[in-house]
């Protein structure tokens, strides 16, 4: 183990097998907090490779709580976080739109690490129970078409790194691979990332992890979401090939707006924003959600073009179907817990 750690300190890449060995040691609690912190920072300075990202993601999935869900029509739209934009919960809001389109959404997420309100925080504010067991999550996915998978709950071995991540207070490889480690074996995915330089690389990792189709996006203003604040960049994984694409909001019929237009607040404020979007109240928040939900529909293959996906997302919100998915989730949760 010391040799592997020294190799990273010396700015040398680890092989897939070496990274798996380090990851197993981390998740078994065999490394000290100081060793983990030093390793994460050395890896960040060196730069994470495809093999390293794949290896730690596979290892993390291997020790996660398993959810036996059919993967064909199930997706996630979790982002890395770490963009420091202080935006509202874009992917959580968009998840209800995707679910309204008939896609089963296994929404992977966490409490706030670098923002005021993480997806888990806003879900709790909405009345969604984030502490459900594996069978309960499967029930909600099958009956409501959407379930929230609280990362520390489905990845109990992450307890060995949570304190280090908070103390470092900077994005690490765990931000990059968090969305890759959904315990449901997904075939499609939309993933936001805060690092534009890793778009193609991350899409390739998704392919190695079994995704047949996926989009990795970095938005205008370098958000880990598609945004209205300038040029958006995304990598599309399709049929084993990765292609790079860019677009401006105006290219898809939306108005450009600065990041300040979609800033959120605490969990209570972000829950208000989420509900206002699902109730079809016009705003920059609404436009940002139809953009990201449209991209998710394209990633899943429900829409043939981004423009078609955005129109589909708009229709799902304006018709009340997206809001109905939230009420359906809460009703199924109440039914399950009462039973």
């Amino acid at each position: 183990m010391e040799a592997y750690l020294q190799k990273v300190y010396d700015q040398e890449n680890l092989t897939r097998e070496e990274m798996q060995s380090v990851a197993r040691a981390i998740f078994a609690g065999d490394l000290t907090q100081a060793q983990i912190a030093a390793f994460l920072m050395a890896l960040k300075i060196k730069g994470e490779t495809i093999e390293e990202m794949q290896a730690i993601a596979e290892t993390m999935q291997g020790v996660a709580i398993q959810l036996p869900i059919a993967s064909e029509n199930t997706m996630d739209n979790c982002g890395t976080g770490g963009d420091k934009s202080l935006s509202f919960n874009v992917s959580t809001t968009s998840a209800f739109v995707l679910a309204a389109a008939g896609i089963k959404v296994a929404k992977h997420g966490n409490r706030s690490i670098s923002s005021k309100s993480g997806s888990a925080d806003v879900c709790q504010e909405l009345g969604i129970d984030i502490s459900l067991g594996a069978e309960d999550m499967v029930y909600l996915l099958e009956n409501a078409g959407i379930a929230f998978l609280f990362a520390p709950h489905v990845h109990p071995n992450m307890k060995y790194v949570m304190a280090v991540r908070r103390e470092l207070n900077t994005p690490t490889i765990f931000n990059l691979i968090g969305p890759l480690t959904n315990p449901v074996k997904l075939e499609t995915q939309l993933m936001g990332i805060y690092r534009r330089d890793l778009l193609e690389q991350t899409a390739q990792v998704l392919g190695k992890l079994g995704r047949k189709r996926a989009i990795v996006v970095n938005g205008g203003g370098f958000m880990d979401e598609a945004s209205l604040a300038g040029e958006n960049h995304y990598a599309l994984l399709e049929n084993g090939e990765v292609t790079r694409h860019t677009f401006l909001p105006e290219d898809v019929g939306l108005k450009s707006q600065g990041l300040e237009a979609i800033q959120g607040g605490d969990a209570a404020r972000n829950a208000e924003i989420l509900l206002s979007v699902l109730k079809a109240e016009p705003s920059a928040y609404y436009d940002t959600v139809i953009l990201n939900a449209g991209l998710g529909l394209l990633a899943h293959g429900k829409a043939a073009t981004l423009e078609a996906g955005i129109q589909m997302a708009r229709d799902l919100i304006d018709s009340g179907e997206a809001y109905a998915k939230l009420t359906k989730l809460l009703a199924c949760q109440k039914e399950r817990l009462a039973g």
Side-chain angles (χ1 to χ4, degrees):
M1 187 57 60
E2 289 181 6
Y4 298 156
L5 296 179
Q6 188 62 50
K7 192 172 179 180
V8 177
Y9 302 156
D10 292 339
Q11 301 292 288
E12 296 179 26
N13 297 331
L14 296 181
T15 67
R16 182 181 172 193
E17 292 73 22
E18 290 170 340
M19 189 63 173
Q20 286 174 332
S21 295
V22 176
R24 282 194 292 268
I26 290 173
F27 297 134
D30 293 339
L31 300 186
T32 67
Q33 298 286 283
Q35 285 175 313
I36 294 172
F39 175 74
L40 293 178
M41 292 312 296
L43 196 63
K44 177 172 181 169
I45 293 168
K46 175 186 74 66
E48 303 85 350
T49 67
I50 290 175
E51 289 75 19
E52 289 165 346
M53 291 173 67
Q54 178 187 357
I56 195 169
E58 288 174 332
T59 306
M60 193 168 161
Q61 281 183 314
V63 297
I65 291 173
Q66 300 302 304
L67 300 178
I69 292 289
S71 61
E72 291 82 4
N73 190 41
T74 307
M75 75 176 297
D76 187 11
N77 69 330
C78 176
T80 59
D83 63 13
K84 306 294 185 182
S85 68
L86 301 179
S87 63
F88 76 110
N89 299 99
V90 179
S91 64
T92 304
T93 312
S94 301
F96 293 103
V97 185
L98 295 173
I103 302 168
K104 289 182 181 177
V105 180
K107 182 69 179 76
H108 202 214
N110 208 338
R111 292 195 184 280
S112 172
I113 299 293
S114 58
S115 63
K116 293 181 181 179
S117 173
S119 55
D121 303 305
V122 76
C123 281
Q124 276 194 304
E125 189 69 25
L126 292 166
I128 297 168
D129 192 332
I130 66 171
S131 64
L132 297 176
E135 291 184 359
D136 298 322
M137 288 184 277
V138 171
Y139 177 86
L140 292 178
L141 271 172
E142 295 291 358
N143 291 276
I146 183 170
F148 183 80
L149 281 51
F150 184 39
H153 187 66
V154 296
H155 298 290
N157 296 61
M158 278 294 288
K159 64 185 178 183
Y160 298 113
V161 300
M162 289 309 297
V164 169
R165 290 185 68 191
R166 287 197 174 91
E167 289 177 14
L168 289 176
N169 194 32
T170 187
T172 68
I173 193 171
F174 283 109
N175 290 82
L176 297 176
I177 62 97
L180 307 175
T181 61
N182 195 309
V184 177
K185 290 179 170 56
L186 308 171
E187 288 188 356
T188 63
Q189 187 164 350
L190 170 64
M191 175 178 169
I193 188 169
Y194 67 94
R195 284 182 55 181
R196 189 168 293 176
D197 60 310
L198 293 180
L199 284 175
E200 291 98 329
Q201 176 174 318
T202 305
Q204 290 172 339
V205 175
L206 283 168
K208 289 180 178 295
L209 293 172
R211 310 302 191 268
K212 293 182 178 179
R213 186 177 170 91
I215 287 176
V216 183
V217 63
N218 177 265
F222 293 91
M223 279 190 68
D224 71 323
E225 317 273 2
S227 89
L228 305 173
E231 192 171 60
N232 293 273
H233 294 246
Y234 71 91
L236 170 65
L237 168 72
E238 185 176 27
N239 300 322
E241 300 293 326
V242 175
T243 54
R244 180 78 173 253
H245 307 266
T246 63
F247 67 91
L248 293 167
E250 288 84 0
D251 296 335
V252 292
L254 297 172
K255 178 184 174 183
S256 288
Q257 300 198 54
L259 292 181
E260 67 279 359
I262 59 165
Q263 282 198 357
D266 59 14
R269 172 58 183 149
N270 283 8
E272 289 178 1
I273 295 170
L274 183 152
L275 291 172
S276 76
V277 171
L278 296 186
K279 291 178 180 178
E281 297 177 14
S283 65
Y285 303 119
Y286 174 97
D287 285 353
T288 299
V289 169
I290 63 171
L291 174 58
N292 280 275
L295 202 58
L297 293 165
L298 178 63
H300 187 72
K302 276 274 186 180
T305 65
L306 178 53
E307 292 86 345
I310 290 171
Q311 186 58 52
M312 189 182 300
R314 189 191 302 274
D315 293 342
L316 289 165
I317 294 176
D318 293 353
S319 67
E321 293 174 79
Y323 183 79
K325 267 297 169 185
L326 170 59
T327 58
K328 176 71 171 176
L329 172 60
L330 293 173
C332 284
Q333 174 184 284
K334 182 178 180 180
E335 179 183 274
R336 177 68 176 179
L337 295 178

